[in-house]
Amino acid sequence: MADAATSEARRRLVRRLLTTRRIRSQRELRELLAAAGFPVTQATVSRDLGAVGARKVRDPDDGEARYELAAEVDQASELEALRQAIDEYVATVRWSGNLVVMRVPPGAAHLVASRMDAVGLPGVLGTVAGDDTLLVVADEQVGGAAVAAMIERGVRL
């Protein structure tokens, strides 16, 4: 389970790097990942780029190749991955006001949080993950009760 959480954290970083920098090669990305505490092989970088939906394009400003995230994320597969993570890992869901607290097995909170963040559930402002606890912050107008109910019914929108 720790391996899945590490992969998800690394892939979140890959997404962030691709949206904040001009990454021109897998070597450059590999060096940035290593500097952030994720020493990986070129093969892992290649798999991560595919997993996050990155593609190599020509930069219109200078004509050089760089990586970018695909404009459209396969929302259906992201939603299914979230449903599977909830079914597999979430033990309890409780709410108070606009907060939802979810308990999961040790090491699974980051995996579930990253999948929730990737989907962008309506009414969810963001997530904070510990080791075995996940805090979901709901929009005050939606409220924690509605978000908790959505999670408990398997994120059926």
Side-chain angles (χ1 to χ4, degrees):
M1 181 150 27
D3 291 337
T6 300
S7 295
E8 290 295 325
R10 187 181 65 246
R11 288 177 179 168
R12 277 193 308 275
L13 177 58
V14 168
R15 284 184 200 96
R16 187 169 60 244
L17 288 170
L18 292 177
T19 57
T20 60
R21 295 176 173 231
R22 290 182 178 200
I23 308 293
R24 300 194 183 278
S25 69
Q26 290 185 8
R27 179 177 157 208
E28 180 182 356
L29 180 57
R30 185 174 168 222
E31 290 169 357
L32 291 167
L33 289 171
F38 294 102
V40 293
T41 65
Q42 184 276 326
T44 299
V45 168
S46 182
R47 282 190 298 273
D48 285 351
L49 286 167
V52 302
R55 60 185 177 163
K56 204 160 194 178
V57 298
R58 291 262 170 225
D59 190 317
D61 294 333
D62 60 16
E64 290 190 38
R66 68 177 170 84
Y67 285 96
E68 74 173 20
L69 294 175
E72 301 241 346
V73 175
D74 183 2
Q75 193 70 4
S77 66
E78 293 281 357
L79 189 56
E80 185 53 35
L82 173 58
R83 287 179 181 140
Q84 289 175 354
I86 288 171
D87 288 345
E88 185 171 347
Y89 298 115
V90 176
T92 64
V93 179
R94 298 188 142 178
W95 65 274
S96 176
N98 71 321
L99 303 176
V100 178
V101 176
M102 298 166 31
R103 295 288 182 169
V104 297
H110 288 273
L111 178 104
V112 177
S114 69
R115 296 218 167 124
M116 288 188 79
D117 292 339
V119 169
L121 293 174
V124 173
L125 298 177
T127 60
V128 179
D131 182 49
D132 63 353
T133 305
L134 173 67
L135 175 68
V136 180
V137 180
D139 182 290
E140 287 184 356
Q141 294 178 356
V142 174
V147 171
M150 179 176 48
I151 293 166
E152 287 176 327
R153 66 178 182 263
V155 193
R156 304 290 182 225
L157 306 175

